Amino acid sequence: MKQIIVSLLVCVSSLTIKAQENSLNEALPTDKSIIKGVLPNGITYYIKKTDVVKGAASYYIIQNVGSILENDDQQGLAHFLEHMAFNGTESFPGKGILNTLQKNGAVFGKDINAYTSFDETVYNMNNIPTKDGLVDVCLTVLRDWSNKLLLTNEEIDAERGVIKEEWRTRQNGQMRLFEKSVPISYNNSKYVQRMPIGLMSVVENFDYKTLRDFYHDWYRTDLQAIAIIGDIDVKEVEKKIQEKFSGIQAVKNAKQRFVVDIPGNEKMQYVLGTDPEISSASISLGIRHNVWKEETAGDLKRGLLESIALSILSERISELAQKPTVSFLSARVLDSPLSRTKKAFNVVITPKPNQQQEAFGQVLTEIIRAVKFGYTASEIERAKENIRTAYENQIAAKNQKSHASIENQIQENFLTNAVITDIDKEYGIAKELLAGITNEQLHTAIKGFYTKENRFLIVTGVEGQQNLSEDQANQIITALENSSSIEPYKEELAGKTLMSGTEIKPGTIISVKRDKKTGASTFYLSNGVKVHYKFVNKEKNQVSLNAISDGGISLLKDADLPSADFVSNLTQMSGLGEFNAAELKKVMAGKTASVSLGLSDINESVSGRSNTKDVETMLQLIHLHFVKPRFDAESFKVMQSNINNYIVRRSKDVGEKMRDSLTLALYGKNNPREAIFNQDYADAVSFEKIKQIYKERFADISDFEFFIVGDVEEAQLKPLLEKYIAGIKTENKKEKYLDNESEWLSARIDKDIFIEMKDPKTVVNMIYRKEMPYSIKNTIYSSVLGKILQLRITATVREAEGGAYSPSASAGFSREPKSRANVSFSFDCNPDMADKLVAIVNDEFKKIAEGNINDEDLNKIRTNLLKEKEQSKDKNSYDMQLITKYYRYGEDINDPKNFEDIVSKMTKKDIQLIAAEILKGGKSYEIVFKPKLKV
């Protein structure tokens, strides 16, 4: 009988194991809402209907083509070709694509763009209205991007300068060090010679045929997918795709689309890089491993295991970094993609000055601790709860997923055959998998990352310091891997909740006032606090809170300003209530709620975010910030280390030198409200002063006006307000800010500043400002002026002259503390062209002030403003803006007379007048940074 029972148990056990194996081999459920098809010529198409942006759609073409496919004489041409797609196609010669889309409200760079990487090139047109035949127009653009680029000699030559300036803009110490590290991270594979920006010797000199050969070889139907996502009729769009794209001929005898692998290595590879413009060290240990596809439930389990293993390890290292005695400022672990076939387990460390060896050892100790002993039960449960919450938030917001997020999934499906899963069904599987995940499985997962093979170490060193050498790194690794003194991780945080040790005496809501115009309600609390609230569920499961109080640093003494800069930093680093920052993160496991504080020139503010379920947690956090803030002396020491490292880091950084020089040119050496961030400034930061400033600025919650918008019903919210907001004692003090803004040294500042830099470039900064009465019209007209200037300098400085890659123009109107219009320009450029380009910018501004405004430009801006206003109404943030402006300033942004009517009726004369007013009697500066010539 006993033998029969044993046999039965063995049989049942084997059947259970077999069933588990079968379930893990099941394919993941796919998202049926995305339509996928393949045309006879090989083009893949995807269609997804969503009204997340009503009356609009986004269009993408994904080319399975990147710089890795270039020949030696084509280095940089995959990226060059991407630029040429905007410079003439069969249906849209010249700048026809941009002009057509801009007339319908799209903005180049924001709505119309593209990128090129090692392995793919992707073009996008986002949030284009679906009216007036624009679906057909955008499909025609996609078709032309597929195989109808003109690639004229004239346009190719014109674009060479733009590409050169893009390269120039990116050149700095960090880029030079990155280029030095690439042979190590990519193990001397072909990727090393195929940086997407390419070689300027090729860009400046390639034959036209070389670019056209690359285009005809690789821009072809079997390597292309199009995606249409938005508020569209799926069947109608699918029919249009079939009609418009089926006629494109597949390439016969096409070249093989090869995939480059990164070879393995047994011995750890090492590189040390230094640069005269880099003054702080970093260490990156990488371990390459194969990319695997997530197709089955078993793959999903592997993904969950790896995610949990890395998240717990990250939490441990983050906790360690909060101790002032450690040798590193920050460290993180992540699993990063390198190529189609490889990812890398990366450990990135920022050591304290001259402590590279110690920092490397301390962080590596934590990794080896996890590799040797795995994780604790409490750590694992918190990580599981965070994953469950993340799934639930995704499911609640699945109908609000952005076009770009959907496209990312589509792109991965096309390029790597990754499954686009049904998130609801995936979560059902994930819940079962999470329930069965054990420490043993997680232990195996982290050990899978930490292999002996395929290691590489990249050290960014500092000249004159004791940089981590290859021998030292190997000795540290060997010693720690063989150490018997490393012990399992321990933690103590049992049974505590966020509000542990906090007693609350609730208040009441004494009255409620409804507003029909905005649909908002105002709750008047017993402690004097006003809360304006509006239920909005355009974006489901999202709740936002803002609270504003006048005053800010304008009310502080000059000597307090350095400390004021770090009030929010220290409070965030210190934790809250009974818990330090590491403990607080653990207590908040599984919660979706956050609160941050701000201290600006004229305001102090509180911002909160949560899902619907965790609104109470968000309000608890706010309660504790006012009642039980935490100021941790150990955290202050950590912050001081970060400040000191920042001073070291910026000492040789060209961009920081420019910022300091700009400040000195505008305000002089001894302006305490515009001080240079140097050691004297850092030494003035005081722990006690930060506490004092916090308690002054955030002393009285009744001086704050609260705004709450989102997917939370009034019945849920009101008792929480009574408990956590009305339950805070108040003094009913009301403050006003002071207008003590620093003035420039003179009304006109025109200065060339020469700075040493390894890669010469000129950086132009120009601003015009003029104080004038605030009005809604002035605000709108200023914005329009900036947008017209952007069109003009893009056409002249970038396109006509090829002088800058991304020249920026903007204009706006500030209400407080001074009512003032501002116009600004900035760009990097070739030093030889700087004076000419500055003259062009000034000339374009003057032309507008003289009335030289194109009707087409004005109409493009008009259409864009009306489109973006309409599309913004689909977001909860629109209603936050609505009630904030309404209650603080008496403006109703819903009223057409405050926007739509002004925009629809504005004329060229309106823009001319405000441009002329800004130029007449206003202030300006023109500060141009130029490379100092070496003698």
Side-chain angles (χ1 to χ4, degrees):
M1 186 68 180
K2 186 176 180 180
Q3 290 178 328
I4 295 173
I5 293 172
V6 170
S7 298
L8 284 171
L9 288 172
V10 170
C11 183
V12 169
S13 176
S14 65
L15 287 172
T16 302
I17 293 170
K18 189 70 176 177
Q20 289 173 345
E21 289 175 352
N22 288 338
S23 64
L24 290 177
N25 289 329
E26 287 181 7
L28 290 172
T30 58
D31 184 349
K32 303 298 183 183
S33 70
I34 296 178
I35 305 302
K36 180 181 179 181
V38 181
L39 299 177
N41 58 11
I43 288 182
T44 304
Y45 64 87
Y46 299 83
I47 309 169
K48 165 69 176 179
K49 181 175 177 59
T50 170
D51 65 353
V52 66
V53 183
K54 292 181 173 59
S58 296
Y59 305 79
Y60 304 84
I61 184 165
I62 305 158
Q63 312 268 9
N64 188 9
V65 178
S67 58
I68 197 66
L69 300 178
E70 296 165 346
N71 297 330
D72 288 342
D73 64 344
Q74 295 174 326
Q75 291 180 65
L77 297 197
H79 174 244
F80 201 107
L81 190 58
E82 172 220 309
H83 278 236
M84 293 307 299
F86 298 96
N87 288 298
T89 69
E90 181 180 273
S91 306
F92 304 95
K95 300 296 184 288
I97 289 175
L98 295 180
N99 285 331
T100 299
L101 295 175
Q102 285 170 340
K103 287 176 184 177
N104 289 281
V107 176
F108 181 46
K110 178 183 178 183
D111 304 312
I112 316 158
N113 215 329
Y115 78 85
T116 304
S117 70
F118 284 128
D119 280 300
E120 76 269 359
T121 307
V122 181
Y123 301 83
N124 66 279
M125 298 172 282
N126 289 113
N127 300 329
I128 309 299
T130 51
K131 62 184 181 180
D132 302 328
L134 284 172
V135 173
D136 289 312
V137 169
C138 291
L139 289 174
T140 301
V141 172
L142 292 182
R143 184 200 64 192
D144 280 15
W145 279 343
S146 170
N147 81 328
K148 295 183 182 296
L149 303 188
L150 294 181
L151 302 178
T152 66
N153 295 356
E154 297 77 14
E155 291 287 358
I156 290 172
D157 287 336
E159 201 64 22
R160 294 182 199 265
V162 176
I163 301 285
K164 180 67 177 288
E165 294 312 311
E166 181 177 358
W167 170 85
R168 190 190 310 278
T169 294
R170 296 178 180 181
Q171 289 305 109
N172 56 32
Q174 291 291 352
M175 177 56 74
R176 290 189 292 272
L177 289 173
F178 172 72
E179 289 172 348
K180 188 171 183 178
S181 73
V182 168
I184 300 301
S185 53
Y186 284 86
N187 198 12
N188 298 304
S189 64
K190 188 179 179 182
Y191 283 103
V192 178
Q193 285 80 41
R194 292 300 181 267
M195 295 295 290
I197 194 67
L199 299 177
M200 291 307 101
S201 57
V202 172
V203 167
E204 292 176 314
N205 300 297
F206 69 82
D207 292 333
Y208 306 124
K209 183 177 182 297
T210 308
L211 179 66
R212 292 168 187 146
D213 285 347
F214 184 86
Y215 173 55
H216 293 301
D217 284 342
W218 300 113
Y219 272 42
R220 61 188 204 228
T221 54
D222 61 310
L223 301 179
Q224 294 173 334
I226 60 171
I228 295 84
I229 304 163
D231 195 2
I232 40 93
D233 182 315
V234 172
K235 290 185 177 180
E236 181 181 325
V237 168
E238 186 170 29
K239 182 180 178 183
K240 289 177 183 290
I241 289 170
Q242 292 166 348
E243 292 172 351
K244 198 171 287 283
F245 290 84
S246 294
I248 301 172
Q249 296 298 308
V251 173
K252 296 179 179 178
N253 302 316
K255 287 188 173 183
Q256 180 186 2
R257 199 307 186 189
F258 56 86
V259 174
V260 173
D261 192 21
I262 301 172
N265 53 281
E266 292 185 7
K267 179 185 175 183
M268 183 179 75
Q269 297 173 311
Y270 170 90
V271 64
L272 167 67
T274 62
D275 189 273
E277 294 175 8
I278 300 296
S279 53
S280 61
S282 69
I283 303 166
S284 178
L285 172 66
I287 307 176
R288 286 183 296 271
H289 61 90
N290 291 331
V291 169
W292 50 273
K293 294 179 181 179
E294 195 166 294
E295 298 176 330
T296 67
D299 298 328
L300 177 59
K301 181 176 182 178
R302 177 176 176 177
L304 291 170
L305 286 167
E306 292 186 352
S307 176
I308 292 172
L310 292 181
S311 69
I312 297 175
L313 186 54
S314 295
E315 192 173 283
R316 287 183 182 181
I317 292 172
S318 176
E319 182 176 352
L320 187 62
Q322 292 167 33
K323 298 179 180 179
T325 54
V326 297
S327 301
F328 61 97
L329 297 161
S330 65
R332 64 188 192 275
V333 293
L334 58 160
D335 191 29
S336 308
L338 283 173
S339 68
R340 287 279 173 84
T341 64
K342 290 289 189 292
K343 297 176 78 175
F345 169 68
N346 273 311
V347 185
V348 183
I349 307 163
T350 303
K352 291 179 179 177
N354 274 316
Q355 297 187 53
Q356 294 178 34
Q357 294 78 7
E358 296 87 346
F360 183 61
Q362 285 180 342
V363 175
L364 192 60
T365 295
E366 292 310 309
I367 294 165
I368 293 173
R369 191 189 312 279
V371 170
K372 284 189 172 186
F373 303 109
Y375 304 107
T376 68
S378 56
E379 288 179 306
I380 295 168
E381 189 48 47
R382 283 198 305 272
K384 288 181 180 181
E385 190 58 32
N386 285 333
I387 289 175
R388 293 186 193 102
T389 299
Y391 266 112
E392 288 163 7
N393 288 340
Q394 283 187 61
I395 290 168
K398 65 181 179 181
N399 293 327
Q400 282 83 48
K401 186 180 287 188
S402 69
H403 294 176
S405 296
I406 296 168
E407 189 278 334
N408 284 336
Q409 290 183 293
I410 288 172
Q411 184 173 314
E412 287 304 304
N413 177 261
F414 175 64
L415 296 176
T416 69
N417 205 33
V419 177
I420 305 175
T421 59
D422 181 313
I423 190 67
D424 292 272
K425 294 178 181 178
E426 180 186 326
Y427 183 37
I429 298 169
K431 279 194 289 189
E432 293 184 12
L433 294 172
L434 286 168
I437 283 177
T438 65
N439 185 24
E440 290 73 24
Q441 293 169 345
L442 289 166
H443 195 182
T444 301
I446 193 63
K447 287 191 288 187
F449 280 119
Y450 192 75
T451 61
K452 298 282 188 182
E453 302 79 25
N454 303 317
R455 295 179 178 181
F456 58 94
L457 184 66
I458 299 167
V459 178
T460 296
V462 179
E463 295 172 358
Q465 288 191 14
Q466 296 180 1
N467 299 309
L468 179 66
S469 70
E470 183 174 7
D471 285 344
Q472 289 172 333
N474 280 319
Q475 289 170 12
I476 291 168
I477 291 170
T478 300
L480 289 173
E481 288 179 346
N482 294 299
S483 172
S484 59
S485 63
I486 298 175
E487 297 180 349
Y489 177 82
K490 297 175 183 178
E491 66 173 356
E492 294 179 6
L493 194 69
K496 291 188 177 181
T497 65
L498 182 59
M499 301 302 287
S500 290
T502 303
E503 294 184 8
I504 301 175
K505 184 179 179 180
T508 60
I509 296 173
I510 58 176
S511 65
V512 179
K513 186 177 180 180
R514 312 291 183 184
D515 184 83
K516 292 182 179 179
K517 274 189 179 180
T518 60
S521 301
T522 300
F523 304 128
Y524 295 87
L525 308 187
S526 54
N527 60 352
V529 176
K530 278 192 301 186
V531 180
H532 308 293
Y533 153 77
K534 185 177 181 182
F535 174 80
V536 182
N537 64 349
K538 300 168 185 176
E539 295 171 284
K540 295 186 183 302
N541 201 40
Q542 294 186 27
V543 182
S544 299
L545 178 150
N546 289 333
I548 306 168
S549 168
D550 286 342
I553 64 173
S554 74
L555 302 183
L556 300 180
K557 297 175 183 177
D558 291 347
D560 296 344
L561 298 180
S563 298
D565 265 355
F566 293 93
V567 167
S568 59
N569 297 73
L570 182 60
T571 54
Q572 183 179 13
M573 293 174 68
S574 294
L576 194 61
E578 299 287 312
F579 307 105
N580 63 33
E583 293 167 340
L584 183 62
K585 188 173 182 180
K586 295 172 183 179
V587 169
M588 291 288 291
K591 303 287 187 183
T592 303
S594 63
V595 168
S596 61
L597 306 180
L599 187 59
S600 68
D601 288 344
I602 62 172
N603 301 118
E604 41 272 340
S605 61
V606 180
S607 298
R609 301 288 181 271
S610 77
N611 59 15
T612 303
K613 176 173 66 73
D614 292 323
V615 170
E616 180 170 12
T617 303
M618 176 179 69
L619 293 176
Q620 288 174 341
L621 291 170
I622 290 172
H623 183 95
L624 291 173
H625 273 99
F626 281 95
V627 172
K628 213 170 185 178
R630 185 183 178 97
F631 303 96
D632 189 277
E634 296 293 285
S635 297
F636 180 73
K637 292 177 184 177
V638 174
M639 190 178 78
Q640 282 182 308
S641 294
N642 290 331
I643 291 171
N644 291 332
N645 185 69
Y646 174 60
I647 291 171
V648 171
R649 190 171 76 242
R650 73 192 303 271
S651 63
K652 294 182 181 180
D653 185 274
V654 171
E656 295 290 341
K657 290 179 181 179
M658 290 181 183
R659 274 186 280 277
D660 288 350
S661 299
L662 180 62
T663 298
L664 292 173
L666 294 178
Y667 302 104
K669 293 183 178 180
N670 300 310
N671 189 322
R673 291 191 171 267
E674 301 293 342
I676 299 299
F677 201 117
N678 54 23
Q679 194 61 55
D680 288 340
Y681 189 85
D683 290 343
V685 178
S686 158
F687 178 70
E688 293 301 327
K689 187 64 69 176
I690 289 175
K691 288 171 62 176
Q692 178 188 330
I693 293 169
Y694 183 95
K695 290 177 179 178
E696 288 176 0
R697 295 294 85 229
F698 296 90
D700 190 355
I701 195 172
S702 65
D703 196 29
F704 284 78
E705 191 171 14
F706 279 75
F707 303 86
I708 299 177
V709 166
D711 190 7
V712 54
E713 297 283 357
E714 183 173 320
Q716 177 188 352
L717 181 64
K718 287 171 69 175
L720 300 178
L721 292 176
E722 290 181 318
K723 182 174 183 180
Y724 297 111
I725 305 301
I728 299 173
K729 292 181 180 180
T730 60
E731 300 175 15
N732 289 308
K733 292 180 179 179
K734 299 296 178 184
E735 294 180 320
K736 295 292 183 183
Y737 64 80
L738 297 177
D739 181 5
N740 50 16
E741 186 181 59
S742 300
E743 295 291 339
W744 295 346
L745 294 177
S746 62
R748 298 278 188 279
I749 300 174
D750 188 347
K751 193 171 184 179
D752 289 350
I753 299 175
F754 294 88
I755 291 183
E756 289 185 5
M757 55 185 82
K758 190 166 182 179
D759 288 308
K761 66 179 176 182
T762 290
V763 179
V764 176
N765 293 276
M766 302 164 61
I767 283 186
Y768 295 83
R769 58 168 51 170
K770 176 69 179 292
E771 290 182 29
M772 58 180 71
Y774 176 84
S775 70
I776 295 173
K777 283 187 176 181
N778 278 345
T779 301
I780 292 171
Y781 295 158
S782 297
S783 175
V784 172
L785 170 62
K787 292 176 184 294
I788 291 176
L789 283 167
Q790 182 66 63
L791 290 175
R792 298 277 276 263
I793 70 166
T794 298
T796 53
V797 172
R798 173 180 161 126
E799 301 298 341
E801 298 294 334
Y805 167 60
S806 184
S808 171
S810 64
F813 205 100
S814 58
R815 186 198 301 262
E816 299 167 317
K818 286 183 172 67
S819 175
R820 181 172 61 204
N822 298 276
V823 178
S824 64
F825 304 91
S826 63
F827 53 89
D828 299 350
C829 66
N830 183 338
D832 296 334
M833 297 184 69
D835 293 340
K836 179 181 180 181
L837 298 178
V838 168
I840 288 172
V841 169
N842 280 317
D843 189 48
E844 290 299 328
F845 194 5
K846 289 173 183 175
K847 285 179 182 178
I848 292 174
E850 293 165 357
N852 185 348
I853 301 171
N854 298 327
D855 288 316
E856 186 175 280
D857 284 351
L858 184 60
N859 287 329
K860 285 178 181 177
I861 305 305
R862 190 194 320 275
T863 305
N864 168 256
L865 289 175
L866 294 172
K867 174 185 86 84
E868 291 193 347
K869 172 66 182 293
E870 193 59 31
Q871 291 179 352
S872 72
K873 293 178 181 179
D874 296 332
K875 302 292 184 183
N876 291 1
S877 58
Y878 175 84
D879 293 271
M880 178 62 81
Q881 183 186 18
L882 167 69
I883 67 171
T884 302
K885 285 195 171 184
Y886 183 77
Y887 286 108
R888 281 186 68 79
Y889 305 113
E891 291 181 11
D892 181 4
I893 65 172
N894 270 344
D895 191 335
K897 74 180 183 183
N898 289 329
F899 189 82
E900 287 84 353
D901 293 351
I902 297 172
V903 172
S904 298
K905 295 174 183 176
M906 69 181 173
T907 65
K908 292 189 291 183
K909 191 70 174 176
D910 293 323
I911 310 306
Q912 177 195 351
L913 289 174
I914 199 163
E917 181 68 19
I918 294 168
L919 285 173
K920 178 185 175 183
K923 297 180 179 181
S924 67
Y925 71 72
E926 181 183 298
I927 296 178
V928 180
F929 295 100
K930 295 181 176 180
K932 183 183 288 185
L933 298 177
K934 294 182 180 179
V935 179

